[in-house]
Amino acid sequence: MTTQDTDVLIIGAGLTGLTLAYLLKQTPLKVTIIEANTRIGGRILTKYNTNEAAIDLGATWIVPQQSNILNLVKQLDIKLFKQSYGKTAIYHPDNSKQPQLVTLPNNDSVSYRITNGTETIIKTLANTLPEQTIKTNTSVQSLQLKAETILVQTNKQNYNSRYVVSTLPPALFNQNISTQPELPDPLINVLANTHTWMHNSIRVGFTYKTPFWNNQNTSGTIYANSGPLQEFYDHSNATQSLFALSGFMSGSLLHKTKNERQQMALQQLQSYYGDQALEFLSYEECVWQQQPFTTPSYDNFVMPQQNNGHPLFKSTYLNNKLFIAGAETNTRFSGKMEAAVTSAHEVFNLLKAEIK
């Protein structure tokens, strides 16, 4: 097995890893990104079909308070548009009651979506990097501290790197990568018991020829405590020329087949909109718990947001050569795109200090 030298090896080609690599272009450091999946993006995933609205199945929304992701989007000249919620919503409290059309409260806050899908930011970041920076379909197996470097063993080849930055969900890093010497016990415990955002989520979406939910007596916003679909929103494109509905399905349907989930979702939509809901163009879904290189498995129940932004993630390990980064490691909008970008900036500043 061959060994290559690099200055900074980043584990994971999601938003944190790609943003960090983008920032490191300001330095003379050679950067290598190792990604176990055959695709890049982590928990950002957009499905594209010709002449249909793009369907985001992972991270989707940005709010005005999330300044770091907004600044990055602006730097990359990526366009945003406002999420349409409408003035009403379909509310279905439980099976014993009929769904009702309720008026949404006046709210000055807005949410933004990325034009042409959230994956646009992933593609744009990747296109700014030198060729061969990202190694996909390559999984890191172990880290071994040497005198001046960390030896990184993967399923394809080894790397000697001055610094290693893990951007994996902490529990996934703990499950899949061994270190020599071992990391401190308190950190191992925190890693193993850190909640992973999207872990239990099932995201689904339907594309349509017409936005029938924009009629006066209905809505494209759905909040339901009954049925497979829990939250659903208008997911049409920025120019309102391609139409879709998309949102969250109950995680309890994990063990159903894709076709079963589709049929259950259509039955619920049909009860709200009539037979026009059945005339969809395409159905897309992502069961995040079934993405082994993206979300971990847990032996015990982990509370939502448990250990997110834990102080131990701020420290460096393996003789100050290993950094723990990612959306779960930051306190600023933990788990969101804002946390991922903020984490990349913080590690970038730490690396700059180490270089000096």
Side-chain angles (χ1 to χ4, degrees), residues 73-336:
V73 165
K74 185 176 180 180
Q75 287 178 32
L76 297 173
D77 195 27
I78 293 173
K79 306 302 181 185
L80 301 174
F81 68 103
K82 289 183 180 179
Q83 168 69 49
S84 174
Y85 293 107
K87 296 182 179 181
T88 59
I90 296 171
Y91 176 55
H92 197 174
D94 57 61
N95 281 327
S96 65
K97 298 178 181 178
Q98 291 295 315
Q100 51 191 296
L101 192 68
V102 299
T103 301
L104 292 172
N106 291 327
N107 194 337
D108 293 333
S109 63
V110 297
S111 297
Y112 297 105
R113 285 165 48 206
I114 293 176
T115 301
N116 297 324
T118 314
E119 202 167 300
T120 300
I121 192 171
I122 296 299
K123 295 175 181 176
T124 306
L125 283 168
N127 287 338
T128 69
L129 304 178
E131 287 188 23
Q132 303 303 315
T133 296
I134 305 171
K135 314 291 184 182
T136 57
N137 200 28
T138 305
S139 57
V140 174
Q141 299 170 335
S142 67
L143 307 177
Q144 185 177 355
L145 180 62
K146 299 295 185 180
E148 300 296 332
T149 63
I150 292 180
L151 176 64
V152 182
Q153 294 182 309
T154 79
N155 61 325
K156 292 187 174 179
Q157 66 176 71
N158 296 339
Y159 295 86
N160 273 317
S161 184
R162 292 170 61 188
Y163 304 101
V164 172
V165 183
S166 172
T167 69
L168 304 183
L172 190 63
F173 174 89
N174 183 66
Q175 287 177 12
N176 292 351
I177 300 175
S178 64
T179 68
Q180 186 179 350
E182 291 187 355
L183 297 174
D185 287 341
L187 176 63
I188 291 175
N189 182 63
V190 168
L191 290 169
N193 294 286
T194 297
H195 171 256
T196 300
W197 284 77
M198 301 294 293
H199 166 68
N200 289 319
S201 294
I202 301 176
R203 287 289 305 270
V204 304
F206 292 91
T207 60
Y208 290 95
K209 287 184 178 180
T210 62
F212 51 79
W213 51 88
N214 285 341
N215 293 338
Q216 185 175 0
N217 297 321
T218 188
S219 173
T221 300
I222 300 170
Y223 299 111
N225 296 322
S226 173
L229 303 177
Q230 299 174 325
E231 293 181 33
F232 236 49
Y233 304 102
D234 186 322
H235 206 74
S236 303
N237 66 350
T239 59
Q240 289 293 303
S241 58
L242 300 171
F243 311 106
L245 291 170
S246 177
F248 296 86
M249 178 177 279
S250 171
S252 64
L253 301 179
L254 164 70
H255 299 296
K256 298 288 186 180
T257 66
K258 180 178 180 179
N259 186 62
E260 287 172 333
R261 285 189 290 268
Q262 175 186 303
Q263 294 306 313
M264 293 173 71
L266 284 173
Q267 185 177 8
Q268 184 176 351
L269 292 177
Q270 184 184 26
S271 72
Y272 300 153
Y273 301 118
D275 290 348
Q276 57 193 344
L278 304 179
E279 298 173 4
F280 67 98
L281 299 174
S282 63
Y283 169 76
E284 301 292 351
E285 69 168 26
C286 182
V287 182
W288 283 102
Q289 200 168 333
Q290 295 176 353
Q291 307 298 311
F293 297 124
T294 309
T295 60
S297 58
Y298 289 98
D299 294 330
N300 304 308
F301 174 72
V302 176
M303 289 286 292
Q305 301 188 47
Q306 181 172 309
N307 288 327
N308 282 189
H310 195 283
L312 286 177
F313 296 137
K314 298 292 185 184
S315 299
T316 55
Y317 299 93
L318 300 185
N319 198 23
N320 298 323
K321 298 183 185 302
L322 173 63
F323 300 79
I324 307 294
E328 282 79 16
T329 69
N330 202 274
T331 57
R332 183 171 172 79
F333 293 91
S334 288
K336 310 292 187 181

Side-chain angles (χ1 to χ4, degrees), residues 51-69:
N51 297 325
E52 296 179 23
I55 298 291
D56 286 316
L57 298 175
T60 303
W61 295 279
I62 302 171
V63 297
Q65 297 82 1
Q66 296 172 344
S67 56
N68 288 321
I69 179 66

